[in-house]
Amino acid sequence: MEKTIYIRMRNRVQVKPEESLLLKDIAQIIASEDIYEDLAALPVLKISPKDHIHIVDVMKVIHFITEIYPDYDVQAVGPPQTIIEVIYKKKGMSIPFFILVWFLLFFGAALTIMNFHEDVSMQAVHERLYYMMTGKKVEKPLLFQIPYSIGIGVGMILFFNHVFKKRLNEEPSPLEVEMFNYQQSLDQYVILHENKESVKHIDDD
């Protein structure tokens, strides 16, 4: 145990441009107290101004550590790579562009709901329900349509588990789960295509 170094690579690290990364920034470390501080402060990577995504492979980290501490056994646990994401300062969004996007999303969602209701003949369903309950035929059964419209909005709030930026409870919404799955797939794609050690082409003789 005293001659063993355990490292666990972090899944993703967000850094600023031209920042220098230490070993403790990209990995969790377990080592003896006499080398831990020096080990954690080892410089691993310098972000260049043009970098956006960088992959640090655990094999390179192990090789890097063993060159400095040849008498120690390095054991890796967890993910085999760390994705280094360079975060650049975002430009402020213009008010006209924000309003344009808001209108597009609003009217797009409204048209989607109206087209769905037209496809399933929701108007006729409401008229039929109103007739079954009251015995009267009306073209606009507001007794059903108004609560139904309010229910759509409340249902969307409960489904997405958010009121503006406030979360209703700790349970993730379906949208957050889908975004998480998308991020996982994106990370796997980046690891496979950005990490030169992941794929090796051998020319046919």
Side-chain angles (χ1 to χ4, degrees):
M1 178 65 185
E2 293 181 356
K3 288 290 185 178
T4 304
I5 298 172
Y6 294 93
I7 60 170
R8 180 185 178 89
M9 303 294 288
R10 303 184 192 277
N11 286 304
R12 177 180 288 268
V13 177
Q14 294 182 333
V15 299
K16 296 178 181 178
E18 301 186 53
E19 188 171 344
S20 296
L21 291 177
L22 306 180
L23 183 59
K24 65 180 180 180
D25 296 327
I26 66 170
Q28 296 173 286
I29 307 167
I30 297 178
S32 57
E33 294 182 359
D34 57 327
I35 68 166
Y36 177 82
E37 294 296 333
D38 293 334
L39 182 65
L42 289 176
V44 177
L45 180 66
K46 172 70 174 178
I47 302 298
S48 69
K50 296 183 180 180
D51 280 341
H52 290 277
I53 291 288
H54 200 92
I55 306 297
V56 179
D57 193 88
V58 69
M59 296 299 292
K60 292 183 178 180
V61 174
I62 293 175
H63 179 71
F64 176 68
I65 295 174
T66 53
E67 284 186 334
I68 301 174
Y69 299 97
D71 296 333
Y72 283 80
D73 179 33
V74 182
Q75 298 288 336
V77 295
Q81 295 97 4
T82 295
I83 299 175
I84 309 298
E85 181 182 5
V86 185
I87 305 297
Y88 291 89
K89 187 177 180 180
K90 295 181 179 179
K91 297 181 179 179
M93 182 180 295
S94 64
I95 299 299
F97 181 74
F98 172 81
I99 294 174
L100 175 62
V101 172
W102 188 89
F103 269 104
L104 287 174
L105 293 176
F106 177 81
F107 285 108
L111 286 172
T112 301
I113 293 173
M114 288 189 290
N115 288 332
F116 167 75
H117 287 166
E118 187 66 25
D119 287 341
V120 298
S121 301
M122 189 62 70
Q123 175 76 15
V125 172
H126 285 169
E127 293 176 6
R128 183 64 178 172
L129 287 174
Y130 188 87
Y131 176 75
M132 292 172 62
M133 296 185 67
T134 65
K136 299 178 181 180
K137 289 186 176 181
V138 294
E139 294 183 358
K140 296 181 180 180
L142 299 180
L143 180 65
F144 286 100
Q145 292 177 339
I146 293 175
Y148 177 76
S149 300
I150 296 173
I152 289 177
V154 174
M156 294 297 288
I157 291 174
L158 294 176
F159 181 78
F160 289 107
N161 196 25
H162 277 82
V163 179
F164 297 104
K165 292 185 178 181
K166 185 176 181 181
R167 182 189 292 270
L168 299 179
N169 54 55
E170 295 301 320
E171 182 179 351
S173 69
L175 180 61
E176 290 174 322
V177 173
E178 287 301 317
M179 290 298 294
F180 174 80
N181 291 334
Y182 171 76
Q183 186 64 58
Q184 292 289 96
S185 300
L186 188 62
D187 289 347
Q188 289 300 317
Y189 177 87
V190 169
I191 287 172
L192 185 62
H193 289 79
E194 295 293 331
N195 187 8
K196 297 179 180 179
E197 297 298 328
S198 294
V199 178
K200 185 177 180 62
H201 297 282
I202 300 177
D203 296 331
D204 295 330
D205 294 332

